[in-house]
Amino acid sequence: MEKVYGIIMAGGGGTRFWPLSRKGTPKQLLNLSGKEVMVNEAIDRLTRVAAYEDIYIVTNCEQADKMRAVTTGRILPERILSEPCARNTAACIGYAALKIMRERGDGVLVITPSDAYIRDEEAFGRVLGVAVRTASSSNKLVTIGITPTFPATGYGYIRYRDAQGEVKPVVRFVEKPTRKKAEEYIRSGCYVWNSGMFVWKASVILKKFKRLLPDLYAQLLKIAASFGKPEESRVLEEIYPELPSVSIDYGIMERSKDILVIPGEFGWNDVGSWDMLGVLHPQDEAGNVVVGNAVNVDTQNTVIYSSGKMIAAVDVSDLIIVETPDAILVCPKSKAQDVKKIVEELKAEGREELL
Amino acid sequence: MEKVYGIIMAGGGGTRFWPLSRKGTPKQLLNLSGKEVMVNEAIDRLTRVAAYEDIYIVTNCEQADKMRAVTTGRILPERILSEPCARNTAACIGYAALKIMRERGDGVLVITPSDAYIRDEEAFGRVLGVAVRTASSSNKLVTIGITPTFPATGYGYIRYRDAQGEVKPVVRFVEKPTRKKAEEYIRSGCYVWNSGMFVWKASVILKKFKRLLPDLYAQLLKIAASFGKPEESRVLEEIYPELPSVSIDYGIMERSKDILVIPGEFGWNDVGSWDMLGVLHPQDEAGNVVVGNAVNVDTQNTVIYSSGKMIAAVDVSDLIIVETPDAILVCPKSKAQDVKKIVEELKAEGREELL
């Protein structure tokens, strides 16, 4: 069995959980479930196929210190790779793959985001196992799809050819669809959500980079030439900002044949905004999700999150109410995505202390 | 010209401005306008007809210390009368009238609540002047009515006979009406709101007490017998709780002939709950009333009051959002009256620290 490495992509800004998420404390560093910080949950899940000491985290310099602190005891400090700036997922994955290839040797890379919730971890581990074996034996690119539970318009989809077995050949990747298209996809039964989870050998993906993203690859090689040398961080800081910003989906997946997808059903949820807090916490009879100190009178379908002060909600419905040590958010659940507008507004007003 | 005394009734509990108002800090002790504490505004208005040193405040023992502190420099400490418990307006007025009669002698009493807003203080002062002259010369009970601006169902009304001059004979007092009745009253043009402001001689109202509320009067005389003696506060604490609880309206006004009313137009508003904060503060173009630290995105007709933390309201309408050092309230404007339900709920849960 080939060596397996985990790569957790944890560079996201995560403005949609403002005011709890901040520039230096994005969603993956929050403990939204009340149990464990999200990135640690992602790490622990990966240990079903990779050892703790073989798990890498790619983050950015603004979060790196906090990331090291939060993952202490799980992740070796030298496994935390810090991008000088965000250059999308292709750069992130290419950088980590080269790092592992050069310093540890070839192996199967299991790449996941840092901030999704997975209810059935056992089923997830089983799917990862299948993906690792497939990537190892076939030298192909493998991705994990999510069997859709509703016609989501916020995710990309993957069309697959219905074949025998758990592993399906990918027909094509499709962008976030309209509602109507999404409903068609679900009816067809041959589409899964693109979860952003990938499994492949380091050597295989690097060959893809060389062929499909030669400019990016050439730049990454310059960075790799400095690995382990005194100038490593200087070179990284010089070259990284110049890397082309392209997603792995657009740069490699959509332009490759012979990709395999494993449709997975393990209660995946990206917990993308406050309205999804009910994924992590029980609801009361009136549909309220209450975390922390609160009193309700005649309140329904409302998400209440208090980090300290008592929140009294009287006769409101379908709201999000969040309290943190320095700010309060009130927003309809249906506009949970618009929370980022507040962050933009605060940025425009120069209120750095609240970003 | 007879001596004029002011009596400010300031014993109210004021749960409808929770979480800003508390048991020990009811509405009259709040500075909702950002300019001055309400009771001090009431005091200053009364100085248009009475000297500071002739203004009395009737409060209760829970608020007395804070009342003394807040009114320092305006009101002599001995002018602050402290009821051992609330026994409605008849007891309150009878007690204050006897106190003044015995210790200062007869005079015209100008009695007002402590927690209403009056926009046009000059017009108000003029009406008070007319009322004082009328009460002084006629030996009648005079009340100030408010010319209604909308068919309110939350106030009592006074029907008057349309007579020459500013002072009208009262036909009858009516309880809070239905919407339909209120509309009729407004159309008739012969009704004003009962503002709870009364002007009469001490000697005149005490005769009314003796005749219409003889039991209450007899008890008050027992209290009065102790005025200025060492046992005064002990006697007050013994007898006051046994006083019948009856309103001055029910006990005296509704049962008296020859009452006069002066319809007043001076921008009176009882600022009865959070939805009325716009009376004290300007609105923005979207109808929001914002006091303190806040950022809005697409928010309309919303009342936002922050005592410190930044409140971000995204895409909400017709809400009340209030932040104080230990609690947060979110409630529709239309349910502003229901804020007291939260107070009841907290009481039931034994959360004394929030009452």
Side-chain angles (χ1 to χ4, degrees):
Chain A
M1 184 71 189
E2 221 146 348
K3 181 93 176 164
V4 178
Y5 297 98
I7 299 175
I8 295 176
M9 294 184 289
T15 55
R16 284 176 301 178
F17 276 88
W18 187 90
L20 203 60
S21 65
R22 299 294 171 97
K23 220 160 47 180
T25 316
K27 182 180 150 206
Q28 56 270 25
L29 289 173
L30 298 179
N31 181 350
L32 285 171
S33 66
K35 291 171 199 141
E36 185 50 80
V37 169
M38 293 198 97
V39 70
N40 281 339
E41 293 188 335
I43 293 164
D44 292 348
R45 283 196 299 262
L46 271 189
T47 60
R48 290 175 181 267
V49 292
Y52 277 115
E53 59 157 16
D54 296 326
I55 295 176
Y56 289 72
I57 295 175
V58 189
T59 184
N60 62 51
C61 48
E62 270 171 338
Q63 302 166 26
D65 286 346
K66 208 167 268 181
M67 185 65 75
R68 261 188 293 274
V70 158
T71 60
T72 297
R74 285 180 167 86
I75 299 296
L76 299 169
E78 62 266 34
R79 300 284 187 264
I80 297 180
L81 310 182
S82 179
E83 295 175 295
C85 55
R87 277 296 172 269
N88 215 326
T89 47
C92 168
I93 290 169
Y95 171 40
L98 260 177
K99 189 85 181 174
I100 291 168
M101 189 74 177
R102 294 290 172 96
E103 297 189 349
R104 315 284 308 277
D106 200 9
V108 175
L109 312 180
V110 178
I111 302 165
T112 78
S114 54
D115 61 354
Y117 169 74
I118 285 169
R119 193 184 59 245
D120 185 347
E121 303 213 340
E122 202 163 322
F124 176 66
R126 216 184 44 73
V127 168
L128 280 193
V130 172
V132 166
R133 283 190 297 277
T134 306
S136 177
S137 62
S138 70
N139 284 343
K140 287 191 177 173
L141 305 185
V142 179
T143 181
I144 316 283
I146 308 294
T147 304
T149 49
F150 67 100
T153 57
Y155 309 133
Y157 285 69
I158 300 170
R159 169 88 158 99
Y160 62 84
R161 187 150 51 77
D162 205 6
Q164 201 91 47
E166 287 188 83
V167 184
K168 319 284 187 184
V170 168
V171 176
R172 66 171 180 278
F173 286 74
V174 290
E175 301 275 310
K176 295 177 187 177
T178 60
R179 176 86 188 185
K180 196 162 155 262
K181 279 276 176 203
E183 284 166 358
E184 279 173 33
Y185 295 167
I186 291 209
R187 266 197 305 277
S188 88
C190 290
Y191 284 83
V192 286
W193 291 335
N194 183 349
S195 69
M197 293 190 275
F198 310 108
V199 183
W200 44 53
K201 278 194 205 163
S203 55
V204 169
I205 193 68
L206 287 171
K207 259 180 238 161
K208 288 282 184 184
F209 271 86
K210 189 175 178 182
R211 191 160 64 81
L212 298 173
L213 298 167
D215 292 348
L216 173 57
Y217 185 67
Q219 297 279 68
L220 287 174
L221 284 182
K222 283 189 218 165
I223 293 171
S226 75
F227 285 166
K229 294 183 184 158
E231 66 268 29
E232 175 170 353
S233 67
R234 184 182 54 75
V235 172
L236 187 72
E237 274 165 41
E238 267 175 30
I239 297 180
Y240 214 90
E242 291 171 15
L243 297 183
S245 184
V246 55
S247 72
I248 193 83
D249 300 75
Y250 179 78
I252 292 187
M253 306 303 275
E254 296 177 14
R255 298 157 68 194
S256 298
K257 309 283 177 203
D258 297 339
I259 297 182
L260 301 173
V261 63
I262 306 176
E265 291 184 57
F266 35 71
W268 176 90
N269 195 300
D270 75 338
V271 195
S273 45
W274 280 114
D275 53 324
M276 302 307 288
L277 199 67
V279 169
L280 305 177
H281 294 275
Q283 302 194 347
D284 68 18
E285 330 70 84
N288 301 305
V289 176
V290 177
V291 179
N293 190 6
V295 170
N296 307 324
V297 173
D298 302 334
T299 286
Q300 297 185 324
N301 299 318
T302 289
V303 170
I304 301 180
Y305 184 101
S306 165
S307 68
K309 288 191 193 188
M310 205 277 276
I311 298 178
V314 184
D315 233 316
V316 293
S317 297
D318 306 296
L319 283 186
I320 294 162
I321 308 173
V322 178
E323 185 257 9
T324 70
D326 61 356
I328 291 156
L329 168 72
V330 181
C331 169
K333 267 166 106 169
S334 62
K335 298 296 176 79
Q337 308 297 328
D338 291 355
V339 169
K340 58 178 185 286
K341 286 189 190 172
I342 278 286
V343 179
E344 286 158 21
E345 176 75 22
L346 291 170
K347 204 177 282 179
E349 292 183 11
R351 302 190 63 175
E352 288 294 323
E353 77 284 7
L354 290 167
L355 295 177
Chain B
M1 183 70 189
E2 221 146 348
K3 181 93 175 165
V4 178
Y5 297 99
I7 299 176
I8 295 176
M9 294 184 289
T15 55
R16 284 177 300 179
F17 276 88
W18 187 91
L20 203 61
S21 64
R22 299 293 171 97
K23 221 160 47 179
T25 317
K27 181 181 151 205
Q28 56 268 26
L29 289 173
L30 298 178
N31 181 349
L32 285 170
S33 67
K35 291 171 198 140
E36 185 50 80
V37 170
M38 293 198 98
V39 70
N40 281 340
E41 293 188 336
I43 293 165
D44 292 347
R45 282 195 299 260
L46 271 190
T47 61
R48 291 174 181 268
V49 292
Y52 277 115
E53 58 158 18
D54 297 326
I55 295 176
Y56 289 71
I57 296 176
V58 189
T59 184
N60 63 50
C61 47
E62 271 172 337
Q63 302 165 27
D65 286 345
K66 208 166 269 182
M67 185 64 76
R68 261 188 293 274
V70 158
T71 60
T72 297
R74 284 181 169 86
I75 299 296
L76 298 170
E78 62 265 35
R79 301 284 187 264
I80 297 180
L81 310 182
S82 179
E83 296 175 293
C85 55
R87 278 295 172 269
N88 215 327
T89 47
C92 167
I93 290 170
Y95 170 42
L98 260 178
K99 188 86 181 175
I100 291 169
M101 190 74 178
R102 293 289 172 96
E103 297 190 349
R104 316 284 306 279
D106 198 9
V108 175
L109 312 180
V110 178
I111 302 165
T112 76
S114 55
D115 60 355
Y117 170 74
I118 285 168
R119 192 183 59 244
D120 186 346
E121 304 213 340
E122 202 163 320
F124 176 67
R126 214 184 45 74
V127 167
L128 280 193
V130 172
V132 166
R133 284 190 297 279
T134 306
S136 176
S137 62
S138 71
N139 284 343
K140 288 193 176 171
L141 305 186
V142 179
T143 181
I144 315 285
I146 308 293
T147 304
T149 50
F150 67 99
T153 57
Y155 309 133
Y157 284 70
I158 300 170
R159 170 88 160 98
Y160 62 84
R161 186 151 51 76
D162 205 6
Q164 201 91 47
E166 287 187 85
V167 185
K168 319 284 186 184
V170 168
V171 176
R172 66 170 181 279
F173 285 75
V174 289
E175 301 275 310
K176 295 176 186 177
T178 60
R179 176 85 187 186
K180 197 164 155 260
K181 279 276 176 203
E183 285 167 359
E184 278 173 34
Y185 295 167
I186 290 209
R187 265 197 305 274
S188 87
C190 290
Y191 284 82
V192 286
W193 291 334
N194 184 348
S195 69
M197 294 190 274
F198 310 107
V199 183
W200 46 53
K201 278 194 204 164
S203 55
V204 170
I205 193 68
L206 288 171
K207 261 181 235 159
K208 288 281 185 185
F209 271 86
K210 189 175 178 183
R211 191 160 64 77
L212 297 172
L213 297 168
D215 293 347
L216 173 56
Y217 185 66
Q219 298 279 68
L220 286 174
L221 284 183
K222 282 189 218 164
I223 293 171
S226 75
F227 285 165
K229 294 183 182 159
E231 66 268 29
E232 175 170 352
S233 66
R234 183 181 55 74
V235 172
L236 188 72
E237 273 166 40
E238 267 175 30
I239 297 180
Y240 214 89
E242 291 172 14
L243 298 182
S245 185
V246 54
S247 72
I248 193 84
D249 300 75
Y250 180 78
I252 293 188
M253 305 303 276
E254 295 176 15
R255 299 156 69 195
S256 299
K257 309 282 177 206
D258 296 341
I259 296 182
L260 300 173
V261 63
I262 306 176
E265 290 184 58
F266 34 71
W268 175 90
N269 195 299
D270 75 339
V271 196
S273 45
W274 279 114
D275 53 324
M276 302 306 288
L277 200 67
V279 169
L280 305 177
H281 294 275
Q283 302 194 347
D284 68 19
E285 329 69 84
N288 300 304
V289 176
V290 178
V291 179
N293 191 5
V295 170
N296 308 323
V297 173
D298 301 335
T299 285
Q300 297 187 324
N301 300 316
T302 289
V303 170
I304 301 179
Y305 185 100
S306 165
S307 67
K309 287 192 193 188
M310 206 276 276
I311 298 177
V314 184
D315 234 315
V316 293
S317 297
D318 306 296
L319 282 186
I320 295 162
I321 307 172
V322 178
E323 184 257 9
T324 71
D326 62 356
I328 291 155
L329 168 72
V330 181
C331 169
K333 267 168 105 170
S334 62
K335 299 295 175 78
Q337 308 297 328
D338 291 354
V339 169
K340 58 179 184 288
K341 287 190 191 173
I342 279 285
V343 180
E344 286 158 20
E345 176 74 22
L346 292 170
K347 204 177 282 179
E349 291 183 11
R351 302 191 63 174
E352 288 294 323
E353 77 283 7
L354 290 166
L355 294 177

